[in-house]
């Protein structure tokens, strides 16, 4: 294996293992900032050693062991909080033989370090933006650039939020535990937002060479399912799980043989996972039984269910989808939701109806720099046979995306516009 191949393997391992590594270390050292530093130290050690020694059979366990030993060394040398650090170091040394794989040690109440870390990062002492950015960074392994694109805000803003959040948690000595029932409800909204953003980053990666990052989808789904067990009477948790299950059901059909994106209307629906669809529809029914029909995630799950129930694209109830987006707009006003409603309207009532809304969004300016706006506009112009204009929009969308696969798709659509003959 070449050095380049090894570095690619390390990057893949890091994407999969970093969240578990940080979560396990945070439970040990009780400091999320320190845990992330220790995890990064282990990553540096892997970059130095694996090109020569090869990728170990259990790379996650290797990273954990390396980080743990680094933690012991750091604690022994530290002058700050010496008494506390010596106590933790003794605890680590005592437990090393009893618990050889700290990454698998689970909490008695919840049974998942990752979920505990979500609740810590979503502590009310942090701003909402800080909670979401920190959790995406720690659990999703996302870079500040990727988080910035998810929020449509400048990258330095996200970096400042993360640094500020870690400093606040360390200063206030927030305990590494799941909140008691009295605190649980007020923190659920932020937790749900974080889990869904992690899922979305896996479902359609904002950057890189791959259309999807399945490990993130799996982490988000697992966290959502655990959260349902923790708070089974909260309907929006069921709504979120329903949404993720149904969207995840399409994963196998969303990429072609070479990893290229396959858009929804072109997907082979026989490849959709029917088990995940059934689970998603059952979760949606449970949310509705609990009295939730207008929650953010339940509404989005209802939209996803419209697609899941259509055996072929022509059976899709686009008028209902447009109506659901209209209701969602009343709950969470958002230009992105309005853009999605424009797509649904175009499918239900023709491309001209959608283009009118898209043009209004373009003039309003809130989605400037958001690549899906020119992408949608290009699609509508193409359907209206305004090919020269469509080509410009597809090329603009391609220049804005940071995902290589998506860029290739958009440039191909631009080429089709250039070579197609208008009717």
């Amino acid at each position: 294996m070449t050095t380049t191949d090894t570095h690619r393997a390390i990057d893949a391992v890091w994407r999969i293992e970093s969240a578990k590594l940080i979560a396990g270390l945070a439970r040990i050292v009780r400091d999320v900032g320190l845990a992330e530093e220790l995890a990064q130290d282990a990553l540096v050690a892997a970059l130095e050693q694996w090109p020569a020694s090869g990728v170990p059979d259990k790379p996650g366990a290797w990273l954990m062991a390396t980080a743990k030993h680094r933690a012991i060394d750091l604690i022994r040398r530290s002058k700050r909080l010496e008494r506390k650090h010596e106590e933790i170091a003794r605890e680590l040394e005592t437990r090393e033989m009893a618990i050889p794989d700290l990454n698998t040690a689970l909490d008695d109440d919840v049974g998942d370090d990752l979920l505990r870390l979500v609740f810590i990062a979503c502590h009310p002492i942090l701003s909402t933006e800080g909670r979401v950015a920190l959790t995406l960074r720690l659990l999703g392994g996302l870079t500040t650039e990727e988080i910035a694109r998810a929020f449509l805000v400048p990258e330095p803003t996200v970096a400042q939020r993360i640094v500020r959040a870690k400093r606040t948690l360390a200063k206030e000595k927030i305990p590494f535990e799941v909140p008691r029932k009295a605190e649980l409800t007020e923190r659920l909204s932020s937790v749900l937002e974080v889990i869904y953003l992690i899922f979305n980053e896996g479902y359609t990666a904002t950057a890189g060479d791959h259309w999807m990052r399945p490990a993130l989808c799996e982490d988000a789904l697992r966290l959502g399912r655990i959260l349902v067990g923790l708070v089974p009477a909260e309907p929006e948790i069921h709504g979120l799980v329903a949404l993720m299950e149904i969207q995840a059901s399409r994963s196998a059909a969303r990429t072609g043989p070479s990893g290229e994106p396959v858009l929804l209307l072109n997907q082979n629906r026989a490849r959709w996972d029917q088990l995940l669809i059934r689970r998603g529809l059952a979760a949606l029914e449970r949310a509705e039984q609990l009295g939730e029909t207008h929650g953010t995630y339940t509404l989005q799950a209802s939209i996803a269910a419209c697609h899941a129930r259509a055996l072929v694209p022509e059976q899709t109830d686009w008028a209902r989808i447009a109506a659901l987006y209209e209701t969602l707009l009343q709950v969470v006003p958002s230009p992105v939701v309005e853009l999605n409603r424009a797509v649904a309207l175009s499918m239900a009532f023709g491309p001209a109806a959608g283009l009118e809304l898209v043009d209004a969004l373009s003039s309003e300016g809130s989605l400037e720099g958001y690549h899906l706006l020119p992408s949608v506009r290009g699609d509508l112009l193409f359907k209206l046979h305004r090919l020269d204009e469509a080509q410009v929009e597809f090329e603009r969308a391609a220049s804005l995306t940071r995902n290589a696969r998506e860029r290739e798709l958009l440039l191909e659509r631009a080429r089709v516009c250039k070579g197609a003959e208008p009717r």
Side-chain angles (χ1 to χ4, degrees):
M1 182 180 288
T2 67
T3 300
T4 299
D5 290 338
T6 302
H7 284 174
R8 287 176 180 167
I10 293 171
D11 182 64
V13 168
W14 179 253
R15 287 289 193 181
I16 295 170
E17 300 289 345
S18 62
K20 300 172 187 176
L21 182 62
I22 293 169
L25 290 167
R27 176 167 48 82
I28 294 168
V29 300
R30 301 295 196 268
D31 184 325
V32 293
L34 178 58
E36 187 180 16
E37 291 175 12
L38 293 169
Q40 291 287 345
D41 286 346
L43 174 63
V44 171
L47 289 168
E48 292 173 346
Q49 298 179 35
W50 291 4
S53 63
V55 178
D57 293 336
K58 296 181 178 180
W62 189 97
L63 290 169
M64 174 59 81
T66 300
K68 184 182 66 174
H69 290 307
R70 169 64 177 152
I72 293 173
D73 292 341
L74 183 64
I75 289 166
R76 283 173 172 166
R77 294 199 307 268
S78 179
K79 299 297 183 183
R80 295 181 303 112
L81 302 175
E82 185 174 359
R83 186 179 306 168
K84 173 186 174 183
H85 288 174
E86 287 177 354
E87 180 181 330
I88 295 175
R90 285 196 298 272
E91 180 183 350
L92 281 173
E93 290 174 326
T94 301
R95 296 174 61 191
E96 187 170 2
M97 294 303 295
I99 308 177
D101 185 3
L102 291 172
N103 196 39
T104 62
L106 301 176
D107 179 83
D108 292 338
D109 296 326
V110 180
D112 198 303
D113 282 340
L114 288 173
L115 186 61
R116 253 192 319 277
L117 187 57
V118 169
F119 274 107
I120 290 170
C122 293
H123 197 283
I125 201 169
L126 304 177
S127 68
T128 299
E129 295 82 2
R131 299 175 209 176
V132 175
L134 180 63
T135 307
L136 286 170
R137 172 67 175 160
L138 296 180
L139 280 97
L142 277 64
T143 65
T144 54
E145 179 186 3
E146 290 167 337
I147 300 170
R149 289 186 63 78
F151 281 106
L152 305 178
V153 296
E155 185 176 347
T157 300
V158 173
Q160 290 170 4
R161 290 173 184 173
I162 293 171
V163 170
R164 191 179 302 118
K166 288 192 289 189
R167 286 175 179 170
T168 300
L169 291 174
K171 179 181 177 182
E172 300 298 328
K173 302 177 182 178
I174 302 302
F176 191 72
E177 62 187 18
V178 174
R180 298 292 179 252
K181 288 185 178 180
E183 301 176 64
L184 201 57
T185 301
E186 64 180 292
R187 288 166 64 178
L188 275 176
S189 176
S190 181
V191 170
L192 295 178
E193 182 180 6
V194 166
I195 291 175
Y196 189 45
L197 281 170
I198 292 173
F199 179 87
N200 274 338
E201 180 58 32
Y203 192 68
T204 306
T206 55
D209 297 326
H210 301 285
W211 177 237
M212 298 181 64
R213 287 161 54 183
L216 287 180
C217 292
E218 292 166 8
D219 273 345
L221 263 171
R222 183 168 56 83
L223 290 168
R225 291 165 182 165
I226 292 172
L227 200 56
V228 163
L230 180 64
V231 196
E234 174 53 51
E236 267 288 74
I237 300 177
H238 293 277
L240 174 60
V241 170
L243 175 58
M244 294 191 296
E245 298 276 16
I246 295 172
Q247 288 185 314
S249 73
R250 307 173 198 153
S251 295
R254 294 187 72 243
T255 55
S258 301
E260 69 276 13
V262 180
L263 301 181
L264 178 63
L265 296 182
N266 298 325
Q267 289 172 15
N268 178 0
R269 299 192 178 203
R271 300 189 67 197
W272 287 4
D273 190 320
Q274 294 302 311
L275 173 60
L276 289 178
I277 289 175
R278 288 195 296 271
R279 292 178 67 160
L281 293 177
L284 176 58
E285 182 180 1
R286 180 59 178 156
E288 293 170 345
Q289 288 173 346
L290 289 168
E292 184 60 87
T293 57
H294 287 72
T296 301
Y297 301 106
T298 303
L299 281 168
Q300 292 180 77
S302 297
I303 293 168
C306 289
H307 294 294
R309 293 183 175 117
L311 298 180
V312 294
E314 292 75 20
Q315 294 178 355
T316 307
D317 190 346
W318 286 106
R320 172 167 169 73
I321 290 174
L324 287 167
Y325 273 123
E326 176 65 33
T327 303
L328 185 60
L329 270 172
Q330 297 171 15
V331 178
V332 280
S334 161
V336 174
V337 174
E338 182 77 340
L339 181 62
N340 287 326
R341 187 171 78 93
V343 173
L345 285 172
S346 75
M347 296 299 295
F349 306 110
L355 185 60
E356 183 178 351
L357 274 182
V358 171
D359 285 345
L361 283 170
S362 298
S363 300
E364 189 264 335
S366 61
L367 292 180
E368 185 178 358
Y370 185 52
H371 73 283
L372 290 182
L373 179 62
S375 175
V376 169
R377 191 167 190 273
D379 184 65
L380 297 176
L381 289 168
F382 183 85
K383 291 175 179 176
L384 291 168
H385 313 298
R386 294 162 58 177
L387 301 184
D388 290 343
E389 295 172 83
Q391 178 187 343
V392 171
E393 293 297 326
F394 286 133
E395 289 174 346
R396 180 167 178 265
S399 72
L400 292 173
T401 184
R402 296 295 180 268
N403 184 282
R405 294 291 188 176
E406 192 168 29
R407 186 181 304 112
E408 291 170 6
L409 174 67
L410 290 165
L411 290 175
E412 176 59 28
R413 296 209 66 184
R415 284 190 288 270
V416 169
C417 290
K418 187 175 181 180
E421 292 292 333
R423 290 193 301 183

